[in-house]
Amino acid sequence: MAFQDFDLISERRKREKQAKMRKRIITASILLVIILLIAAAAFAYFVVLKGPHDDKGKHSTKAKSHKSKSKSDEDSSSSSSSSETADSSVPKGETNLVHSEKMIKTLCTGTDFTTTCEDSLNKAAKENATAAKNPKDLLKASMSIAVEEIKKAVKQVAGLKLDMPMKKAALEDCKALLTDSMEELNTSMSSVGTAKTPDLNNWLSAAITFQDNCIDGFPDGPDKSAVQKSLKIAEEIASNALAMISQLASVLSTLHIPDSEPKRHLLSDDEEFPTWMDHEDRRMLKGAAADIPKQPPNATVAKDGSGKFTTINAALKAIPAKYEGRYVIFVKEGIYAENVKITKKMVNLTMYGDGSQKSIITGSKNYVDGIPTYQTATFAVMGDGFMGQALGFRNTAGPEKHQAVALRVQADKAIFLTCRMEGYQDTLYAQAHRQFYRGCYITGTVDFIFGNAAAVFQKCLIYARKPLDKQQNIVTAQGRSDKRQTTGIVLQNCKILADEKLEPVKSKIKTFLGRPWKEYSRTIIMESEIGDLIDPEGFTPWSGDFALKTLYYAEFANTGPGAKTKSRVKWSGYKGELKKDEATPFTVAPFIQGEPWIKPSGCPASFGFNS
């Protein structure tokens, strides 16, 4: 009986399998019929319906025009343009160029040099098919073109027949500065898409500054004009790049391209150092935060022979080429008569002394003796991450020698703590990049804090000296030449006073807070004590009405007899007394992105307002 039941079950399963097979065959047959009907319909559409509207048929080889059309033009010729777009004979590269037109126009909107922008990006798109597909790649390619333009300029400048030693010296400075500019552009180019926007703005601002510095080194005349002309396109491309960086995120959004820029990571209260800093640097800086001078130096300089070196330059020359971490040099008490240069290779260098009036570096190079301003610096800092503490920097050329720099700084993230800068005209050249000065003593006469860095001075004593007869004192001469450069001079919680020789005659000598060296000069003085030596007008012109409409000068929460703004200049560029929210962007944290690099150094700083 059991075997009988098994046979019945097997027979039933056999019949069920046969039924399922017939059902699958019927379903497959129906699907095949549907597919054939769709294929027939598609064939009828392209051959029967589409053909009569295209005189050239599917054998047309005419390439689509590169010029963009208005919407009405596209609508009126939709049939023919659709045929051309679908035509497989159109070169793929040309199609990419057509698609890049919208991208290029969008990127160039808002730039100051639109024609140069579109020309450079179109050239980049034609030469690089990959660049034509992405705004970031186009931006990189345009920077590459700027570099090539600078290379051309270097060749043109080198061909100038110069008849004066000063001009020949300016030529050598120009070559070095243009090399610096190319390096900044290359850094920007390689970092688009990975670096933060403030960093890109910083590098591009410096690239423009170095080109300006090259031009400024030549005396007015045909040679200077020739150099300026040779750099015209390169400066315009760099300026356009700054504009495009500021709107890149919105362009990517408009074109539905994801933005891969890293988001800013602020340090939390319990995170003392940035994540990128290695263990050794953290250990060293923890000690530095407590008391920097007690750090065991890698090298000691002493005039009396008690150190390994008797000159600062000898100690710098001995720095290992591949040293990892921060290198520390201690300069013992003494007057060191030498011109010192911290080169670009000397990154993350700390140099400290026994005190700003004990460890003093001094020189006397000056403009009147035939040396360009750029080369007159007693102490020049080019290596990023430099920190100087308890050092004195002097230029003893005197007021009659005019431009004579004590300290020139072009390094990024440079810090000066309790240092002293002494000179007359052009004492401190805050040339480029981000800089922070805390508790420093700065003295001079004409434009004695000048340059185009993003520089913040906190709790500094700023003393005007007695100038030559018929001269007047100007504290700052800021050199921002492009409105998008993220540069400016900020004096916060400082004291601006007369020194002991100026004090008795301060009523007879005009002293001003600043004048505009370049068209978009920017200076903000806030939470500072301003003495009665400052003229009620506050600021003075450079020449005629130059830059008076385009500069940005402002004040916030200042005190003292010279802080009254009622009689200040009436220029449209002078913003008067700022509101707190207007002054906030010029505090240390947002203006020079100071927290991640100043905090670990141990240097005291106010990252916002003092109150």
Side-chain angles (χ1 to χ4, degrees), residues 292 326 329 342 349-353 379 381 385-393 407 413-421 436-438 440 601 603:
I292 292 172
R326 181 165 287 273
I329 296 176
I342 309 299
L349 174 66
T350 290
M351 186 179 294
Y352 66 88
F379 197 95
V381 182
F386 178 85
M387 182 167 184
Q389 185 182 15
L391 294 168
F393 308 100
L407 174 65
K413 300 178 181 178
I415 298 173
F416 291 85
L417 176 61
T418 61
C419 289
R420 189 179 182 96
M421 300 82 171
F436 182 65
Y437 300 79
R438 174 84 176 194
C440 293
S601 74
C603 179

PDB file of all heavy atoms in Angstrom, residues 292 326 329 342 349-353 379 381 385-393 407 413-421 436-438 440 601 603:
ATOM      1  N   ILE A 292      58.623  78.558  25.461  1.00  0.00           N
ATOM      2  CA  ILE A 292      59.392  78.280  24.248  1.00  0.00           C
ATOM      3  C   ILE A 292      60.911  78.378  24.467  1.00  0.00           C
ATOM      4  O   ILE A 292      61.650  77.498  24.057  1.00  0.00           O
ATOM      5  CB  ILE A 292      58.943  79.202  23.101  1.00  0.00           C
ATOM      6  CG1 ILE A 292      57.530  78.838  22.688  1.00  0.00           C
ATOM      7  CG2 ILE A 292      59.886  79.085  21.907  1.00  0.00           C
ATOM      8  CD1 ILE A 292      56.922  79.807  21.712  1.00  0.00           C
ATOM      9  N   ARG A 326      60.481  70.318  13.822  1.00  0.00           N
ATOM     10  CA  ARG A 326      60.828  71.730  13.983  1.00  0.00           C
ATOM     11  C   ARG A 326      62.262  71.879  14.469  1.00  0.00           C
ATOM     12  O   ARG A 326      62.663  71.229  15.439  1.00  0.00           O
ATOM     13  CB  ARG A 326      59.846  72.383  14.961  1.00  0.00           C
ATOM     14  CG  ARG A 326      60.085  73.873  15.192  1.00  0.00           C
ATOM     15  CD  ARG A 326      58.896  74.512  15.843  1.00  0.00           C
ATOM     16  NE  ARG A 326      57.792  74.661  14.908  1.00  0.00           N
ATOM     17  CZ  ARG A 326      57.615  75.701  14.095  1.00  0.00           C
ATOM     18  NH1 ARG A 326      58.496  76.701  14.109  1.00  0.00           N
ATOM     19  NH2 ARG A 326      56.594  75.753  13.288  1.00  0.00           N
ATOM     20  N   ILE A 329      66.736  77.275  16.940  1.00  0.00           N
ATOM     21  CA  ILE A 329      68.012  77.977  17.076  1.00  0.00           C
ATOM     22  C   ILE A 329      67.887  79.026  18.184  1.00  0.00           C
ATOM     23  O   ILE A 329      66.958  79.837  18.190  1.00  0.00           O
ATOM     24  CB  ILE A 329      68.421  78.675  15.758  1.00  0.00           C
ATOM     25  CG1 ILE A 329      68.673  77.634  14.660  1.00  0.00           C
ATOM     26  CG2 ILE A 329      69.670  79.535  15.958  1.00  0.00           C
ATOM     27  CD1 ILE A 329      68.989  78.233  13.303  1.00  0.00           C
ATOM     28  N   ILE A 342      66.066  83.516   5.791  1.00  0.00           N
ATOM     29  CA  ILE A 342      65.490  82.203   6.072  1.00  0.00           C
ATOM     30  C   ILE A 342      64.891  81.715   4.762  1.00  0.00           C
ATOM     31  O   ILE A 342      63.843  82.211   4.339  1.00  0.00           O
ATOM     32  CB  ILE A 342      64.407  82.282   7.168  1.00  0.00           C
ATOM     33  CG1 ILE A 342      64.923  83.029   8.403  1.00  0.00           C
ATOM     34  CG2 ILE A 342      63.896  80.891   7.519  1.00  0.00           C
ATOM     35  CD1 ILE A 342      66.111  82.394   9.063  1.00  0.00           C
ATOM     36  N   LEU A 349      60.947  76.530  11.320  1.00  0.00           N
ATOM     37  CA  LEU A 349      62.129  76.940  12.080  1.00  0.00           C
ATOM     38  C   LEU A 349      61.715  77.881  13.213  1.00  0.00           C
ATOM     39  O   LEU A 349      60.951  78.829  12.986  1.00  0.00           O
ATOM     40  CB  LEU A 349      63.126  77.652  11.163  1.00  0.00           C
ATOM     41  CG  LEU A 349      64.355  78.280  11.819  1.00  0.00           C
ATOM     42  CD1 LEU A 349      65.255  77.213  12.418  1.00  0.00           C
ATOM     43  CD2 LEU A 349      65.125  79.132  10.815  1.00  0.00           C
ATOM     44  N   THR A 350      62.181  77.608  14.404  1.00  0.00           N
ATOM     45  CA  THR A 350      61.993  78.514  15.541  1.00  0.00           C
ATOM     46  C   THR A 350      63.334  79.145  15.873  1.00  0.00           C
ATOM     47  O   THR A 350      64.351  78.450  15.968  1.00  0.00           O
ATOM     48  CB  THR A 350      61.456  77.767  16.775  1.00  0.00           C
ATOM     49  OG1 THR A 350      60.103  77.367  16.536  1.00  0.00           O
ATOM     50  CG2 THR A 350      61.482  78.661  18.008  1.00  0.00           C
ATOM     51  N   MET A 351      63.325  80.469  16.042  1.00  0.00           N
ATOM     52  CA  MET A 351      64.531  81.175  16.450  1.00  0.00           C
ATOM     53  C   MET A 351      64.161  82.102  17.599  1.00  0.00           C
ATOM     54  O   MET A 351      63.230  82.896  17.479  1.00  0.00           O
ATOM     55  CB  MET A 351      65.119  81.970  15.282  1.00  0.00           C
ATOM     56  CG  MET A 351      66.467  82.620  15.593  1.00  0.00           C
ATOM     57  SD  MET A 351      67.166  83.534  14.180  1.00  0.00           S
ATOM     58  CE  MET A 351      67.482  82.206  13.021  1.00  0.00           C
ATOM     59  N   TYR A 352      64.853  81.978  18.711  1.00  0.00           N
ATOM     60  CA  TYR A 352      64.537  82.847  19.845  1.00  0.00           C
ATOM     61  C   TYR A 352      65.820  83.403  20.442  1.00  0.00           C
ATOM     62  O   TYR A 352      66.914  82.861  20.259  1.00  0.00           O
ATOM     63  CB  TYR A 352      63.716  82.100  20.903  1.00  0.00           C
ATOM     64  CG  TYR A 352      64.423  80.967  21.612  1.00  0.00           C
ATOM     65  CD1 TYR A 352      65.182  81.214  22.762  1.00  0.00           C
ATOM     66  CD2 TYR A 352      64.310  79.658  21.161  1.00  0.00           C
ATOM     67  CE1 TYR A 352      65.812  80.173  23.431  1.00  0.00           C
ATOM     68  CE2 TYR A 352      64.937  78.615  21.817  1.00  0.00           C
ATOM     69  CZ  TYR A 352      65.697  78.869  22.957  1.00  0.00           C
ATOM     70  OH  TYR A 352      66.322  77.851  23.616  1.00  0.00           O
ATOM     71  N   GLY A 353      65.663  84.526  21.145  1.00  0.00           N
ATOM     72  CA  GLY A 353      66.830  85.192  21.724  1.00  0.00           C
ATOM     73  C   GLY A 353      66.676  85.404  23.214  1.00  0.00           C
ATOM     74  O   GLY A 353      65.724  84.936  23.844  1.00  0.00           O
ATOM     75  N   PHE A 379      66.690  91.190   7.910  1.00  0.00           N
ATOM     76  CA  PHE A 379      66.278  89.816   8.193  1.00  0.00           C
ATOM     77  C   PHE A 379      65.090  89.503   7.291  1.00  0.00           C
ATOM     78  O   PHE A 379      64.065  90.199   7.348  1.00  0.00           O
ATOM     79  CB  PHE A 379      65.883  89.695   9.671  1.00  0.00           C
ATOM     80  CG  PHE A 379      65.822  88.292  10.204  1.00  0.00           C
ATOM     81  CD1 PHE A 379      66.898  87.727  10.867  1.00  0.00           C
ATOM     82  CD2 PHE A 379      64.669  87.526  10.060  1.00  0.00           C
ATOM     83  CE1 PHE A 379      66.841  86.441  11.397  1.00  0.00           C
ATOM     84  CE2 PHE A 379      64.596  86.237  10.574  1.00  0.00           C
ATOM     85  CZ  PHE A 379      65.686  85.687  11.243  1.00  0.00           C
ATOM     86  N   VAL A 381      62.404  86.501   5.877  1.00  0.00           N
ATOM     87  CA  VAL A 381      61.835  85.180   6.195  1.00  0.00           C
ATOM     88  C   VAL A 381      61.000  84.692   5.023  1.00  0.00           C
ATOM     89  O   VAL A 381      59.972  85.294   4.675  1.00  0.00           O
ATOM     90  CB  VAL A 381      60.965  85.234   7.463  1.00  0.00           C
ATOM     91  CG1 VAL A 381      60.431  83.840   7.792  1.00  0.00           C
ATOM     92  CG2 VAL A 381      61.747  85.797   8.633  1.00  0.00           C
ATOM     93  N   GLY A 385      56.050  78.563   8.266  1.00  0.00           N
ATOM     94  CA  GLY A 385      56.005  78.050   9.626  1.00  0.00           C
ATOM     95  C   GLY A 385      57.075  78.622  10.539  1.00  0.00           C
ATOM     96  O   GLY A 385      57.365  78.055  11.588  1.00  0.00           O
ATOM     97  N   PHE A 386      57.658  79.762  10.171  1.00  0.00           N
ATOM     98  CA  PHE A 386      58.711  80.365  10.993  1.00  0.00           C
ATOM     99  C   PHE A 386      58.119  80.958  12.270  1.00  0.00           C
ATOM    100  O   PHE A 386      57.024  81.536  12.258  1.00  0.00           O
ATOM    101  CB  PHE A 386      59.438  81.462  10.221  1.00  0.00           C
ATOM    102  CG  PHE A 386      60.502  82.160  11.020  1.00  0.00           C
ATOM    103  CD1 PHE A 386      61.774  81.629  11.104  1.00  0.00           C
ATOM    104  CD2 PHE A 386      60.229  83.345  11.687  1.00  0.00           C
ATOM    105  CE1 PHE A 386      62.773  82.269  11.852  1.00  0.00           C
ATOM    106  CE2 PHE A 386      61.212  83.989  12.432  1.00  0.00           C
ATOM    107  CZ  PHE A 386      62.485  83.449  12.513  1.00  0.00           C
ATOM    108  N   MET A 387      58.849  80.817  13.366  1.00  0.00           N
ATOM    109  CA  MET A 387      58.479  81.495  14.604  1.00  0.00           C
ATOM    110  C   MET A 387      59.689  82.182  15.188  1.00  0.00           C
ATOM    111  O   MET A 387      60.731  81.555  15.410  1.00  0.00           O
ATOM    112  CB  MET A 387      57.902  80.517  15.623  1.00  0.00           C
ATOM    113  CG  MET A 387      57.456  81.229  16.901  1.00  0.00           C
ATOM    114  SD  MET A 387      56.452  80.198  17.969  1.00  0.00           S
ATOM    115  CE  MET A 387      56.041  81.401  19.255  1.00  0.00           C
ATOM    116  N   GLY A 388      59.565  83.494  15.421  1.00  0.00           N
ATOM    117  CA  GLY A 388      60.626  84.266  16.040  1.00  0.00           C
ATOM    118  C   GLY A 388      60.155  84.814  17.369  1.00  0.00           C
ATOM    119  O   GLY A 388      59.033  85.304  17.479  1.00  0.00           O
ATOM    120  N   GLN A 389      61.002  84.723  18.392  1.00  0.00           N
ATOM    121  CA  GLN A 389      60.635  85.218  19.713  1.00  0.00           C
ATOM    122  C   GLN A 389      61.823  85.886  20.385  1.00  0.00           C
ATOM    123  O   GLN A 389      62.959  85.417  20.295  1.00  0.00           O
ATOM    124  CB  GLN A 389      60.141  84.080  20.605  1.00  0.00           C
ATOM    125  CG  GLN A 389      59.643  84.595  21.959  1.00  0.00           C
ATOM    126  CD  GLN A 389      59.198  83.486  22.889  1.00  0.00           C
ATOM    127  OE1 GLN A 389      59.509  82.318  22.650  1.00  0.00           O
ATOM    128  NE2 GLN A 389      58.465  83.822  23.936  1.00  0.00           N
ATOM    129  N   ALA A 390      61.513  87.033  21.022  1.00  0.00           N
ATOM    130  CA  ALA A 390      62.505  87.741  21.834  1.00  0.00           C
ATOM    131  C   ALA A 390      63.750  88.109  21.028  1.00  0.00           C
ATOM    132  O   ALA A 390      64.878  87.965  21.491  1.00  0.00           O
ATOM    133  CB  ALA A 390      62.880  86.907  23.061  1.00  0.00           C
ATOM    134  N   LEU A 391      63.531  88.578  19.807  1.00  0.00           N
ATOM    135  CA  LEU A 391      64.611  89.006  18.916  1.00  0.00           C
ATOM    136  C   LEU A 391      64.400  90.460  18.506  1.00  0.00           C
ATOM    137  O   LEU A 391      63.267  90.947  18.416  1.00  0.00           O
ATOM    138  CB  LEU A 391      64.647  88.140  17.652  1.00  0.00           C
ATOM    139  CG  LEU A 391      65.011  86.664  17.819  1.00  0.00           C
ATOM    140  CD1 LEU A 391      64.710  85.909  16.526  1.00  0.00           C
ATOM    141  CD2 LEU A 391      66.483  86.496  18.204  1.00  0.00           C
ATOM    142  N   GLY A 392      65.513  91.142  18.233  1.00  0.00           N
ATOM    143  CA  GLY A 392      65.444  92.495  17.709  1.00  0.00           C
ATOM    144  C   GLY A 392      65.930  92.537  16.269  1.00  0.00           C
ATOM    145  O   GLY A 392      66.929  91.896  15.923  1.00  0.00           O
ATOM    146  N   PHE A 393      65.212  93.287  15.409  1.00  0.00           N
ATOM    147  CA  PHE A 393      65.585  93.442  13.993  1.00  0.00           C
ATOM    148  C   PHE A 393      65.746  94.934  13.716  1.00  0.00           C
ATOM    149  O   PHE A 393      64.796  95.706  13.900  1.00  0.00           O
ATOM    150  CB  PHE A 393      64.512  92.847  13.083  1.00  0.00           C
ATOM    151  CG  PHE A 393      64.129  91.430  13.421  1.00  0.00           C
ATOM    152  CD1 PHE A 393      62.978  91.166  14.157  1.00  0.00           C
ATOM    153  CD2 PHE A 393      64.917  90.358  13.022  1.00  0.00           C
ATOM    154  CE1 PHE A 393      62.615  89.869  14.479  1.00  0.00           C
ATOM    155  CE2 PHE A 393      64.573  89.059  13.348  1.00  0.00           C
ATOM    156  CZ  PHE A 393      63.413  88.807  14.079  1.00  0.00           C
ATOM    157  N   LEU A 407      62.831  94.115   8.688  1.00  0.00           N
ATOM    158  CA  LEU A 407      62.308  92.749   8.621  1.00  0.00           C
ATOM    159  C   LEU A 407      61.369  92.613   7.427  1.00  0.00           C
ATOM    160  O   LEU A 407      60.441  93.412   7.270  1.00  0.00           O
ATOM    161  CB  LEU A 407      61.550  92.410   9.911  1.00  0.00           C
ATOM    162  CG  LEU A 407      60.822  91.068   9.949  1.00  0.00           C
ATOM    163  CD1 LEU A 407      61.803  89.895   9.893  1.00  0.00           C
ATOM    164  CD2 LEU A 407      59.954  90.969  11.220  1.00  0.00           C
ATOM    165  N   LYS A 413      52.071  81.459   7.548  1.00  0.00           N
ATOM    166  CA  LYS A 413      51.919  81.020   8.939  1.00  0.00           C
ATOM    167  C   LYS A 413      53.160  81.357   9.765  1.00  0.00           C
ATOM    168  O   LYS A 413      53.696  80.526  10.499  1.00  0.00           O
ATOM    169  CB  LYS A 413      51.597  79.527   8.993  1.00  0.00           C
ATOM    170  CG  LYS A 413      50.303  79.168   8.261  1.00  0.00           C
ATOM    171  CD  LYS A 413      50.014  77.693   8.278  1.00  0.00           C
ATOM    172  CE  LYS A 413      48.712  77.391   7.518  1.00  0.00           C
ATOM    173  NZ  LYS A 413      48.428  75.942   7.465  1.00  0.00           N
ATOM    174  N   ALA A 414      53.590  82.606   9.622  1.00  0.00           N
ATOM    175  CA  ALA A 414      54.747  83.098  10.373  1.00  0.00           C
ATOM    176  C   ALA A 414      54.269  83.789  11.647  1.00  0.00           C
ATOM    177  O   ALA A 414      53.269  84.518  11.631  1.00  0.00           O
ATOM    178  CB  ALA A 414      55.559  84.061   9.520  1.00  0.00           C
ATOM    179  N   ILE A 415      54.992  83.564  12.751  1.00  0.00           N
ATOM    180  CA  ILE A 415      54.632  84.133  14.049  1.00  0.00           C
ATOM    181  C   ILE A 415      55.828  84.887  14.620  1.00  0.00           C
ATOM    182  O   ILE A 415      56.952  84.389  14.604  1.00  0.00           O
ATOM    183  CB  ILE A 415      54.216  83.024  15.038  1.00  0.00           C
ATOM    184  CG1 ILE A 415      52.968  82.275  14.535  1.00  0.00           C
ATOM    185  CG2 ILE A 415      53.964  83.593  16.428  1.00  0.00           C
ATOM    186  CD1 ILE A 415      52.608  81.054  15.376  1.00  0.00           C
ATOM    187  N   PHE A 416      55.539  86.089  15.133  1.00  0.00           N
ATOM    188  CA  PHE A 416      56.570  86.863  15.831  1.00  0.00           C
ATOM    189  C   PHE A 416      56.019  87.250  17.199  1.00  0.00           C
ATOM    190  O   PHE A 416      54.976  87.907  17.293  1.00  0.00           O
ATOM    191  CB  PHE A 416      56.963  88.106  15.030  1.00  0.00           C
ATOM    192  CG  PHE A 416      57.714  87.767  13.772  1.00  0.00           C
ATOM    193  CD1 PHE A 416      57.035  87.456  12.608  1.00  0.00           C
ATOM    194  CD2 PHE A 416      59.102  87.731  13.766  1.00  0.00           C
ATOM    195  CE1 PHE A 416      57.719  87.113  11.449  1.00  0.00           C
ATOM    196  CE2 PHE A 416      59.796  87.396  12.613  1.00  0.00           C
ATOM    197  CZ  PHE A 416      59.107  87.086  11.456  1.00  0.00           C
ATOM    198  N   LEU A 417      56.714  86.830  18.239  1.00  0.00           N
ATOM    199  CA  LEU A 417      56.273  87.042  19.611  1.00  0.00           C
ATOM    200  C   LEU A 417      57.327  87.837  20.372  1.00  0.00           C
ATOM    201  O   LEU A 417      58.507  87.462  20.379  1.00  0.00           O
ATOM    202  CB  LEU A 417      56.033  85.679  20.280  1.00  0.00           C
ATOM    203  CG  LEU A 417      55.651  85.668  21.761  1.00  0.00           C
ATOM    204  CD1 LEU A 417      54.338  86.408  21.998  1.00  0.00           C
ATOM    205  CD2 LEU A 417      55.539  84.228  22.270  1.00  0.00           C
ATOM    206  N   THR A 418      56.913  88.935  20.960  1.00  0.00           N
ATOM    207  CA  THR A 418      57.783  89.833  21.743  1.00  0.00           C
ATOM    208  C   THR A 418      59.076  90.171  21.002  1.00  0.00           C
ATOM    209  O   THR A 418      60.180  90.087  21.557  1.00  0.00           O
ATOM    210  CB  THR A 418      58.105  89.228  23.134  1.00  0.00           C
ATOM    211  OG1 THR A 418      58.790  87.979  22.965  1.00  0.00           O
ATOM    212  CG2 THR A 418      56.838  89.014  23.940  1.00  0.00           C
ATOM    213  N   CYS A 419      58.946  90.520  19.736  1.00  0.00           N
ATOM    214  CA  CYS A 419      60.101  90.949  18.935  1.00  0.00           C
ATOM    215  C   CYS A 419      60.082  92.465  18.772  1.00  0.00           C
ATOM    216  O   CYS A 419      59.090  93.135  19.063  1.00  0.00           O
ATOM    217  CB  CYS A 419      60.083  90.262  17.571  1.00  0.00           C
ATOM    218  SG  CYS A 419      60.478  88.498  17.634  1.00  0.00           S
ATOM    219  N   ARG A 420      61.196  92.998  18.278  1.00  0.00           N
ATOM    220  CA  ARG A 420      61.337  94.450  18.126  1.00  0.00           C
ATOM    221  C   ARG A 420      61.827  94.745  16.708  1.00  0.00           C
ATOM    222  O   ARG A 420      62.832  94.180  16.257  1.00  0.00           O
ATOM    223  CB  ARG A 420      62.327  94.973  19.170  1.00  0.00           C
ATOM    224  CG  ARG A 420      62.424  96.483  19.287  1.00  0.00           C
ATOM    225  CD  ARG A 420      63.426  96.837  20.396  1.00  0.00           C
ATOM    226  NE  ARG A 420      63.538  98.269  20.610  1.00  0.00           N
ATOM    227  CZ  ARG A 420      62.871  98.952  21.535  1.00  0.00           C
ATOM    228  NH1 ARG A 420      62.033  98.318  22.331  1.00  0.00           N
ATOM    229  NH2 ARG A 420      63.048 100.257  21.677  1.00  0.00           N
ATOM    230  N   MET A 421      61.103  95.621  15.988  1.00  0.00           N
ATOM    231  CA  MET A 421      61.471  96.006  14.635  1.00  0.00           C
ATOM    232  C   MET A 421      61.742  97.511  14.623  1.00  0.00           C
ATOM    233  O   MET A 421      60.829  98.306  14.859  1.00  0.00           O
ATOM    234  CB  MET A 421      60.361  95.676  13.643  1.00  0.00           C
ATOM    235  CG  MET A 421      60.012  94.187  13.571  1.00  0.00           C
ATOM    236  SD  MET A 421      58.891  93.709  14.921  1.00  0.00           S
ATOM    237  CE  MET A 421      58.445  92.048  14.425  1.00  0.00           C
ATOM    238  N   PHE A 436      51.267  86.578  11.916  1.00  0.00           N
ATOM    239  CA  PHE A 436      50.719  86.983  13.211  1.00  0.00           C
ATOM    240  C   PHE A 436      51.831  87.557  14.083  1.00  0.00           C
ATOM    241  O   PHE A 436      52.894  86.953  14.245  1.00  0.00           O
ATOM    242  CB  PHE A 436      50.084  85.779  13.912  1.00  0.00           C
ATOM    243  CG  PHE A 436      49.460  86.113  15.240  1.00  0.00           C
ATOM    244  CD1 PHE A 436      48.363  86.964  15.321  1.00  0.00           C
ATOM    245  CD2 PHE A 436      49.979  85.581  16.419  1.00  0.00           C
ATOM    246  CE1 PHE A 436      47.783  87.275  16.547  1.00  0.00           C
ATOM    247  CE2 PHE A 436      49.406  85.889  17.659  1.00  0.00           C
ATOM    248  CZ  PHE A 436      48.300  86.743  17.706  1.00  0.00           C
ATOM    249  N   TYR A 437      51.574  88.757  14.635  1.00  0.00           N
ATOM    250  CA  TYR A 437      52.534  89.448  15.494  1.00  0.00           C
ATOM    251  C   TYR A 437      51.878  89.706  16.845  1.00  0.00           C
ATOM    252  O   TYR A 437      50.771  90.263  16.911  1.00  0.00           O
ATOM    253  CB  TYR A 437      52.945  90.787  14.865  1.00  0.00           C
ATOM    254  CG  TYR A 437      53.600  90.658  13.505  1.00  0.00           C
ATOM    255  CD1 TYR A 437      52.828  90.455  12.360  1.00  0.00           C
ATOM    256  CD2 TYR A 437      54.978  90.736  13.362  1.00  0.00           C
ATOM    257  CE1 TYR A 437      53.421  90.327  11.102  1.00  0.00           C
ATOM    258  CE2 TYR A 437      55.583  90.620  12.118  1.00  0.00           C
ATOM    259  CZ  TYR A 437      54.788  90.414  10.989  1.00  0.00           C
ATOM    260  OH  TYR A 437      55.377  90.292   9.743  1.00  0.00           O
ATOM    261  N   ARG A 438      52.555  89.303  17.903  1.00  0.00           N
ATOM    262  CA  ARG A 438      51.977  89.446  19.237  1.00  0.00           C
ATOM    263  C   ARG A 438      53.009  90.067  20.179  1.00  0.00           C
ATOM    264  O   ARG A 438      54.152  89.597  20.291  1.00  0.00           O
ATOM    265  CB  ARG A 438      51.566  88.073  19.768  1.00  0.00           C
ATOM    266  CG  ARG A 438      51.078  88.070  21.208  1.00  0.00           C
ATOM    267  CD  ARG A 438      49.620  88.435  21.339  1.00  0.00           C
ATOM    268  NE  ARG A 438      49.189  88.332  22.742  1.00  0.00           N
ATOM    269  CZ  ARG A 438      47.924  88.320  23.117  1.00  0.00           C
ATOM    270  NH1 ARG A 438      46.955  88.392  22.208  1.00  0.00           N
ATOM    271  NH2 ARG A 438      47.595  88.248  24.396  1.00  0.00           N
ATOM    272  N   CYS A 440      54.732  92.786  20.017  1.00  0.00           N
ATOM    273  CA  CYS A 440      55.949  93.304  19.376  1.00  0.00           C
ATOM    274  C   CYS A 440      56.038  94.832  19.504  1.00  0.00           C
ATOM    275  O   CYS A 440      55.026  95.521  19.692  1.00  0.00           O
ATOM    276  CB  CYS A 440      55.985  92.901  17.906  1.00  0.00           C
ATOM    277  SG  CYS A 440      56.184  91.120  17.643  1.00  0.00           S
ATOM    278  N   SER A 601      51.495  76.516  18.588  1.00  0.00           N
ATOM    279  CA  SER A 601      52.802  77.152  18.781  1.00  0.00           C
ATOM    280  C   SER A 601      53.023  77.587  20.222  1.00  0.00           C
ATOM    281  O   SER A 601      54.150  77.839  20.631  1.00  0.00           O
ATOM    282  CB  SER A 601      52.925  78.377  17.875  1.00  0.00           C
ATOM    283  OG  SER A 601      52.135  79.452  18.380  1.00  0.00           O
ATOM    284  N   CYS A 603      51.953  80.377  21.298  1.00  0.00           N
ATOM    285  CA  CYS A 603      51.891  81.834  21.293  1.00  0.00           C
ATOM    286  C   CYS A 603      50.517  82.280  21.790  1.00  0.00           C
ATOM    287  O   CYS A 603      49.492  81.837  21.266  1.00  0.00           O
ATOM    288  CB  CYS A 603      52.136  82.364  19.881  1.00  0.00           C
ATOM    289  SG  CYS A 603      52.041  84.162  19.755  1.00  0.00           S
TER     290      CYS A 603
END
